[in-house]
Amino acid sequence: MKITVVRPQDLGEAESQRWREIQKASPSLDNPFLSVDFALAMGRLRDHVRVAVIEDGGEIAGFLPHERHGFGVGRPLGGHLTTCQGLISVPELKIDPRDLLRACGLSAIDFDHLVAGQPTFAPYETDVRPAPVMDLSGGFDAYVERVRAGSAKNYKTVRYKERKLGRERGEIRFEWDSADIGTLRAVMAWKSDQYRRTGRVDRFAQPWIVRLVEELHSRRSDDFAGVLTMVYAGDTPVAGHFGLRTAHTLVGWFPAYDPAYARYSPGIMHHLHMAEHAANAGLHQVDMGKGGREYKEWLKTGVLMIAEARISRPSPVAAAQWLGRVPISRLRTAVVDNPSLFRAADRLLKGYGRARSTLLSRPISHHTAEQSPKAQ
């Protein structure tokens, strides 16, 4: 067994092609966040991105894309941005993960969206849970029948609101795979506003994430692409989404809508249109990602298993990282698993977001600033 660590841009064409072959051969790896194209895009924007190339018997058997931060702290590629992490490897590959960490120069690495059941990491899984999927393998009509059978009232309500929006605001129109950069920026602006209103960290306040999304939006290939979608009422955009796809799977990433149209449930309406067009484009599923959102429960018709895991080598850095991350992660999981706690936490964050927005919108008193000794 030989492990070589390189930057993504140092991968040769033969290595990139081998990555694609391994990924296509395993259904559990059918996720764009595990694609070599995503690793290459991240490597162009972030200096700490690395790939461990694992050879067995002279043949490449796997890849581990990851981030190497200070003091040997490891993170999955993309960290909090991604909804799928792990080894891209032949199914039977099993190596000592501590040997893998040592070769990568890492003291520890935490996964929160790990492909469940990988032989190398399975013994270290601390939590395994289902991530909701819109199963389109039988076509959109078959998918809708399953949704209606499971939640007829919700489906009827969404379609009623859609007709109401069409009557009051203009004919409903859906755009699949838009190449318009203005449309993409509208979705990002809505999402930034949502992050701030709900007390979350605004990811688009980081310029590199904006550049990453814009770069991936321009990607067009059979195996990997960014997909931008939008619902319009007349000529007015009301809800959109930017995600990534492989040849068979579209992954939900940045859904957003104009809050002025919130009473029409535009986000759920958008998801149904997106599923229809994804099925027509030959995609087999929409991966909505794990997370406590009620709409995912009644839109889902399948699940994928996602795990949390932590691998570390004995060191002071690994111990300090455990104290800083693991208890918080366990608390977060407990809140997400308890509906009443989740609603309470959501209300608290939204209240914080409103208070923060109010504070930031207040005008600064120039008189006070001029008279303050600290201002001098």
Side-chain angles (χ1 to χ4, degrees), residues 285-337:
Q285 64 182 4
V286 177
D287 180 350
M288 293 185 285
K290 73 172 186 177
R293 293 297 174 185
E294 188 176 347
Y295 77 89
K296 295 181 182 181
E297 284 301 308
W298 71 266
L299 285 178
K300 77 175 184 183
T301 53
V303 297
L304 297 172
M305 302 311 294
I306 298 296
E308 295 182 8
R310 173 181 171 79
I311 301 96
S312 64
R313 297 188 293 132
S315 72
V317 171
Q321 189 190 26
W322 188 95
L323 289 172
R325 295 176 62 89
V326 174
I328 294 174
S329 176
R330 290 177 178 173
L331 176 61
R332 185 185 300 112
T333 298
V335 170
V336 171
D337 284 347

Side-chain angles (χ1 to χ4, degrees), residues 173-347:
R173 175 171 59 89
F174 184 83
E175 185 177 17
W176 167 262
D177 201 13
S178 170
D180 181 53
I181 190 66
T183 300
L184 177 65
R185 287 171 180 164
V187 170
M188 288 193 287
W190 286 338
K191 198 66 181 177
S192 286
D193 178 64
Q194 178 191 343
Y195 287 140
R196 293 191 296 268
R197 283 187 290 105
T198 57
R200 272 72 171 183
V201 174
D202 181 5
R203 293 175 177 177
F204 294 118
Q206 300 184 60
W208 77 267
I209 295 181
V210 174
R211 292 197 299 271
L212 175 68
V213 169
E214 291 181 348
E215 177 177 336
L216 295 176
H217 174 234
S218 66
R219 291 288 306 176
R220 291 289 187 278
S221 74
D222 292 339
D223 296 326
F224 181 90
V227 180
L228 175 62
T229 54
M230 183 68 78
V231 167
Y232 294 84
D235 294 327
T236 303
V238 296
H241 172 264
F242 178 72
L244 303 176
R245 67 155 179 83
T246 62
H248 301 296
T249 297
L250 173 64
V251 170
W253 203 9
F254 295 115
Y257 62 86
D258 186 340
Y261 297 89
R263 67 181 184 275
Y264 298 104
S265 299
I268 301 177
M269 179 199 314
H270 170 275
H271 266 63
L272 289 170
H273 282 280
M274 183 171 69
E276 180 178 10
H277 283 73
N280 292 340
L283 299 177
H284 296 173
Q285 64 182 4
V286 177
D287 180 350
M288 293 185 285
K290 73 172 186 177
R293 293 297 174 185
E294 188 176 347
Y295 77 89
K296 295 181 182 181
E297 284 301 308
W298 71 266
L299 285 178
K300 77 175 184 183
T301 53
V303 297
L304 297 172
M305 302 311 294
I306 298 296
E308 295 182 8
R310 173 181 171 79
I311 301 96
S312 64
R313 297 188 293 132
S315 72
V317 171
Q321 189 190 26
W322 188 95
L323 289 172
R325 295 176 62 89
V326 174
I328 294 174
S329 176
R330 290 177 178 173
L331 176 61
R332 185 185 300 112
T333 298
V335 170
V336 171
D337 284 347
N338 187 307
S340 60
L341 285 177
F342 180 82
R343 287 193 293 269
D346 192 49
R347 286 196 299 270

